[in-house]
Amino acid sequence: MLLGLIVLLSLIGILFVYDSSVIIAMRDFSDRFYFAKEQMKWLVLGWMVFSVFSIVSYKNWYKAAVPILMATIGLLLAVFIPGISIKALGARRWINLGFTVFQPAEFAKLAIIIYLSAWFSSRERERLTSFLLLLGMVVGLIILEPDLGTASIVMAIALLMYFFSGAPFFHFAFLVPIVAIGIFILSIVSPYRFARLTSFINPEKDPLGSSYQIRQATLALGTGGIMGVGIGKSRQKYEYLPEANTDSIFAIIGEETGLIGSVFVSALYIFILYRGYTIAKKAKDAFGRYIALGVSSWIGLQSLMNIAAISALIPLTGIPLPLISYGGSNLVVMLAGLGILYNISKQG
C-alpha cells in the first residue's frame, strides 16, 4: 500500500509539473518538456535512493545519527559562505555542487528525524533544555537563510516527536505559545513576511502586489468547481499564477481536476499518514517507531501546510507539495525518508 501510494503521487507529480510549466518552459528554454524532463531525472535519482534506503536496515541509522546531524549543521553553515552558496531572491539556501545545486534545509528535515529518534529511544528523561538548544541551533540557521517555511516544518516535526516520546504535557503548554509568538514576531519584522501576513488578513489590499499570488491561487481553485476545467486546460498556468509548477501546483490541480481531484490528492496524503502510523505501531523497537512517526508526520505536515496556504487558510509559506512539486532536493530527500519507512515496514 505504501509503495503504491508513493508511485501514484510521483506519477501525478510528473503530469502536473509538465502541465503547469509548459508556458514558462517555452519562454525560458524553448522546450515545453524542460521541467518535466528535469523532474524525471530527479525522480530517477530519488527512486535509486529509495531503493538503497529500503534495503539497508533502519537500525544502521542509529549509530550514524550524530555524524548525520553534524554534517547537516555543517551544510547549513556552508550556505553563508560566498563562492560555495548561491544567493537568489535575497536568500542563501542552496549550495553549488558544480553539476547541480542542493538545498541543505531539506536534508535537515530527515536529519532531525533520525537524530531525535536515536536520542528519544534512549532512557534519558530530563532533556527539555538540550532539546531546545538543538532545535534552536538547527532552526535558527534555517531562519537566517531566510526560510521561515522550512524552519516551521522542522520545528513542527521536532515538537511532534518530542510529544510522541512521552514528554510531560506541561512542556507543550510552555513550548507551543512560545513557538507561536516567535513565528509571529519573525513574520512582522521582515517586510516581505509582513506583507504576506497582511495580504492573508486582507486579500483585497494590494491585489497586484503582496495579495497577487493568493488571489490567483484561489481564482484557480474557484474556476475548477466540482469537476475541473480538464487536464491541460488551465488558464492560470499562462503566467498568471506565480510558482505554478512548484509551491502553487495544487492550485493547478484544483483548477483542472476540480474539487474531486483535489480531494483525491489530499486523500492520498492521508492514506500515507495512516499507513506510516500503522507501521510505527508495528515497529520492532523504539528507534524504528520514532523514525516512522517522524517521516509520517513530515509528509502530513508539509502537505497540510501547502494545501492550507494555497486554499488561503493560512498565510503563504513557500513550502512544496510532497512528491508533486517541481524540485530536486525536496523530492530526493523525501524519497530517502520514505525508503527508511518502507524498510521499517518490511521488518515490522
Side-chain angles (χ1 to χ4, degrees):
M1 179 179 178
L2 177 64
L3 188 60
L5 290 168
I6 298 170
V7 170
L8 183 56
L9 279 169
S10 300
L11 294 176
I12 291 173
I14 291 291
L15 171 63
F16 280 98
V17 164
Y18 163 72
D19 185 22
S20 61
S21 66
V22 168
I23 306 305
I24 57 173
M26 286 295 296
R27 181 196 66 191
D28 296 339
F29 303 100
S30 300
D31 179 3
R32 64 188 301 172
F33 298 103
Y34 176 81
F35 289 102
K37 289 189 291 187
E38 289 296 306
Q39 185 76 346
M40 289 183 70
K41 291 177 185 177
W42 285 112
L43 191 59
V44 169
L45 176 60
W47 276 103
M48 290 171 63
V49 172
F50 176 90
S51 300
V52 172
F53 279 50
S54 65
I55 294 172
V56 175
S57 175
Y58 71 89
K59 297 177 182 179
N60 293 324
W61 301 110
Y62 184 91
K63 294 181 180 179
V66 174
I68 288 173
L69 180 66
M70 294 297 102
T72 301
I73 293 173
L75 290 170
L76 290 174
L77 289 170
V79 300
F80 302 105
I81 302 175
I84 298 177
S85 63
I86 298 175
K87 186 175 183 179
L89 301 176
R92 289 189 178 275
R93 301 176 183 174
W94 301 270
I95 292 177
N96 188 357
L97 300 178
F99 60 93
T100 187
V101 294
F102 175 69
Q103 190 172 357
E106 293 295 339
F107 186 69
K109 299 172 185 175
L110 180 58
I112 202 73
I113 290 172
I114 293 174
Y115 181 81
L116 291 180
S117 297
W119 186 12
F120 292 164
S121 60
S122 67
R123 295 184 178 181
E124 182 184 355
R125 294 298 179 186
E126 299 299 327
R127 52 182 174 232
L128 178 59
T129 303
S130 301
F131 172 75
L132 292 177
L133 289 173
L134 170 65
L135 191 59
M137 181 188 304
V138 175
V139 171
L141 288 172
I142 298 174
I143 289 174
L144 289 174
E145 294 183 356
D147 190 351
L148 185 59
T150 301
S152 300
I153 290 289
V154 173
M155 192 180 306
I157 292 170
L159 288 175
L160 273 176
M161 293 187 67
Y162 190 70
F163 173 77
F164 291 141
S165 71
F169 179 77
F170 72 86
H171 286 186
F172 294 92
F174 165 74
L175 288 173
V176 173
I178 296 296
V179 169
I181 292 170
I183 292 175
F184 178 74
I185 292 173
L186 289 170
S187 298
I188 63 177
V189 298
S190 172
Y192 83 92
R193 291 177 191 148
F194 185 69
R196 282 187 172 183
L197 182 61
T198 54
S199 65
F200 169 72
I201 297 172
N202 182 15
E204 301 302 320
K205 180 182 177 182
D206 196 12
L208 296 179
S210 60
S211 299
Y212 180 77
Q213 184 173 355
I214 190 60
R215 288 170 66 90
Q216 296 300 318
T218 51
L219 179 61
L221 292 173
T223 302
I226 301 296
M227 301 296 295
V229 298
I231 301 294
K233 297 181 179 181
S234 165
R235 296 186 182 93
Q236 292 301 99
K237 69 183 179 184
Y238 286 88
E239 299 189 65
Y240 293 108
L241 177 63
E243 311 295 340
N245 62 331
T246 54
D247 304 338
S248 302
I249 199 168
F250 186 76
I252 302 298
I253 294 173
E255 182 184 9
E256 295 192 348
T257 65
L259 179 64
I260 292 176
S262 301
V263 170
F264 175 74
V265 171
S266 302
L268 295 179
Y269 291 115
I270 293 174
F271 287 140
I272 286 183
L273 186 64
Y274 167 76
R275 183 59 188 151
Y277 284 164
T278 302
I279 292 169
K281 184 178 180 181
K282 297 180 179 180
K284 298 172 68 175
D285 52 31
F287 180 60
R289 180 168 63 253
Y290 288 135
I291 288 187
L293 289 170
V295 172
S296 304
S297 300
W298 173 16
I299 299 287
L301 286 167
Q302 189 161 316
S303 57
L304 175 63
M305 289 183 68
N306 177 277
I307 293 171
I310 295 302
S311 304
L313 298 175
I314 62 174
L316 284 172
T317 56
I319 294 174
L321 190 62
L323 300 173
I324 292 181
S325 290
Y326 173 76
S329 299
N330 177 71
L331 180 62
V332 173
V333 175
M334 184 157 286
L335 283 170
L338 287 168
I340 298 175
L341 181 64
Y342 188 70
N343 182 263
I344 296 170
S345 175
K346 290 195 299 182
Q347 297 193 43

